[in-house]
């Protein structure tokens, strides 16, 4: 199983309108079925959904597929797919371009020409050009954003509205322009589009919360491991001290035992003469902690 089979099944679901009530569950099930990383299909899901909506609108307006202009979103999608397939181990660029053509509903010759002409164009552009496309560094698998680039290039839109959306960076103006554009496109439901965006942002927030929870758990586990390590070091040090004290106590006991044995072997007169000296030596004991306790004078 691979990205190729997952996107093929996803595209077929869009074509047959087989998506269930929970888009998030459908994506997650498809990722598990094809052994893909969690969240890796969100980018493709968003773009294929927009491509499908745009194609339906163009069909309603009797647009010819052969005359479709390439959008920036389609170009980015193509290079992202090529990059991900190559990371999976697919090395035949011809087969990958054929797969991209099927996903984009374009002819192979069109996809092949756009791929190589874009590569050639990017090589000629200066590095200082901030608008240049850098396909090799795209990493949008975990960013649930639906592009509206395809909407901007639909011929039915007024030119003035399109230019205003491209040039204006104010959020309210962008939202206003988006609503205006959607209202002018037949077959698009603004409420459904916004509902989809809302669901995707919820998915993003849930993913972010899950990552934060994992990081918190890792931090807690690391602190607990450090505390246990310090406790173990203290116990090992205490054990060494106890062993040292026990060894010293054994030496003292052995020494006292030898002195008692030697004292008992003396005669009565010798015992009397050395009694005071032995009595002073026997007037202390050593407890289990190695502390000398005076028990006599």
């Amino acid at each position: 199983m691979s990205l190729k089979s997952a996107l093929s099944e996803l595209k077929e679901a869009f074509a047959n309108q087989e998506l269930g009530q929970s888009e998030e569950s459908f994506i997650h099930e498809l990722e598990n079925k094809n052994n893909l990383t969690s969240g890796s299909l969100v980018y493709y899901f968003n773009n294929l959904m927009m491509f499908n909506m745009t194609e339906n609108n163009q069909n309603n307006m009797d647009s010819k597929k052969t005359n479709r202009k390439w959008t920036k979103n389609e170009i980015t999608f193509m290079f992202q797919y090529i990059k991900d397939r190559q990371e999976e181990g697919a090395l035949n660029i011809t087969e990958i371009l054929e797969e991209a053509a099927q996903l984009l509903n374009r002819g192979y010759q069109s996809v092949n020409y756009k791929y190589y002409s874009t590569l050639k164009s990017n090589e000629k552009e200066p590095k200082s050009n901030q608008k240049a496309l850098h396909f090799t560094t795209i990493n949008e698998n975990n960013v649930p954003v639906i592009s509206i680039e395809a909407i901007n290039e639909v011929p039915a839109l007024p030119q003035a509205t399109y230019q205003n959306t491209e040039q204006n960076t104010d959020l309210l103006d962008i939202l206003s322009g988006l609503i205006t554009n959607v209202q002018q496109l037949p077959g698009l439901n603004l409420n459904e589009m916004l509902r989809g965006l809302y669901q995707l942002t919820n998915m993003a927030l849930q993913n972010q919360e899950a990552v934060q929870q994992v990081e918190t758990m890792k931090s807690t586990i690391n602190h607990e491991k450090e505390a246990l390590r310090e406790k173990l070091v203290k116990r090992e040090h205490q054990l060494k001290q106890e062993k040292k004290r026990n060894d010293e106590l054994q030496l003292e006991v052995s020494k006292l035992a030898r002195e008692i044995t030697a004292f008992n072997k003396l005669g009565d007169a010798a015992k009397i003469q050395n009694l005071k000296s032995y009595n002073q030596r026997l007037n202390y004991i050593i407890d289990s902690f190695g502390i000398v306790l005076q028990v006599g004078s």
Side-chain angles (χ1 to χ4, degrees):
M1 309 300 286
S2 65
L3 179 63
K4 174 185 175 181
S5 58
L7 294 187
S8 177
E9 186 174 346
L10 181 59
K11 192 172 186 299
E12 182 179 357
F14 277 123
N16 299 330
Q17 298 182 351
E18 295 176 351
L19 291 179
Q21 296 294 327
S22 176
E23 298 169 347
E24 180 180 359
S25 300
F26 176 80
I27 295 174
H28 184 66
E29 180 180 355
L30 198 58
E31 289 171 344
N32 291 337
K33 180 180 178 181
N34 291 275
N35 297 324
L36 297 175
T37 305
S38 178
S40 60
L41 287 182
V42 174
Y43 169 77
Y44 293 101
F45 177 88
N46 296 337
N47 282 276
L48 289 177
M49 180 172 64
M50 292 302 299
F51 295 158
N52 187 64
M53 294 170 60
T54 303
E55 184 178 2
N56 290 336
N57 291 332
Q58 291 175 342
N59 291 335
N60 292 333
M61 292 185 291
D62 295 328
S63 297
K64 294 182 180 180
K65 184 170 67 174
T66 55
N67 294 331
R68 278 195 298 140
K69 294 182 179 180
W70 278 84
T71 66
K72 293 181 180 179
N73 203 34
E74 286 181 305
I75 298 173
T76 302
F77 179 92
M78 176 179 64
F79 276 86
Q80 181 65 44
Y81 179 76
I82 293 172
K83 174 178 175 291
D84 291 342
R85 288 286 287 125
Q86 289 176 339
E87 288 180 353
E88 281 187 344
L91 301 179
N92 192 324
I93 187 62
T94 301
E95 293 180 359
I96 299 176
L97 290 176
E98 290 178 349
E99 296 168 11
Q102 294 177 1
L103 293 174
L104 295 171
N105 287 334
R106 289 185 175 274
Y108 169 77
Q109 294 298 332
S110 175
V111 173
N112 183 74
Y113 173 80
K114 178 56 65 173
Y115 172 70
Y116 287 103
S117 62
T118 304
L119 286 180
K120 186 176 180 180
S121 176
N122 289 338
E123 291 175 355
K124 292 181 179 180
E125 290 180 0
K127 295 182 179 180
S128 59
N129 187 356
Q130 296 181 354
K131 296 183 179 180
L133 298 177
H134 301 283
F135 300 105
T136 57
T137 60
I138 294 174
N139 185 15
E140 301 183 53
N141 290 338
N142 297 322
V143 183
V145 177
I146 299 178
S147 173
I148 61 172
E149 193 64 28
I151 296 177
N152 291 335
E153 294 192 8
V154 174
L157 290 179
Q159 185 68 20
T161 303
Y162 172 80
Q163 292 176 351
N164 181 64
T165 304
E166 285 291 319
Q167 297 175 0
N168 203 327
T169 58
D170 184 78
L171 178 60
L172 293 178
D173 289 342
I174 293 175
L175 292 176
S176 177
L178 171 62
I179 294 173
T180 301
N181 290 345
V182 172
Q183 289 175 344
Q184 296 182 43
L185 290 172
L188 280 183
N189 189 315
L190 178 61
N191 291 337
E192 289 297 324
M193 179 178 293
L194 294 178
R195 182 181 67 85
L197 286 170
Y198 176 71
Q199 291 178 349
L200 290 173
T201 54
N202 278 341
M203 291 170 59
L205 288 175
Q206 291 174 2
N207 291 339
Q208 183 178 4
E209 290 176 358
V211 171
Q212 292 177 349
Q213 291 177 0
V214 170
E215 293 299 326
T216 300
M217 293 176 60
K218 287 182 178 180
S219 178
T220 301
I221 292 174
N222 289 335
H223 283 108
E224 292 178 350
K225 289 173 63 177
E226 184 64 21
L228 289 174
R229 189 187 67 81
E230 293 179 356
K231 188 175 182 180
L232 180 61
V233 171
K234 291 181 179 179
R235 289 295 176 86
E236 289 178 348
H237 179 71
Q238 183 178 358
L239 181 62
K240 290 180 180 179
Q241 293 294 327
E242 291 293 337
K243 184 177 182 304
K244 180 180 178 182
R245 291 168 183 170
N246 288 336
D247 292 342
E248 292 176 351
L249 179 60
Q250 290 293 331
L251 292 175
E252 291 294 334
V253 171
S254 298
K255 182 179 179 181
L256 291 175
R258 289 195 300 270
E259 291 183 355
I260 291 173
T261 301
F263 179 79
N264 289 332
K265 292 180 179 180
L266 295 176
D268 293 339
K271 286 181 180 179
I272 293 174
Q273 293 177 356
N274 294 280
L275 181 60
K276 184 176 180 180
S277 174
Y278 279 102
N279 185 51
Q280 290 177 348
R281 295 182 185 181
L282 297 175
N283 273 337
Y284 68 89
I285 62 173
I286 301 176
D287 67 357
S288 61
F289 295 97
I291 300 175
V292 177
L293 299 178
Q294 189 72 27
V295 297
S297 59

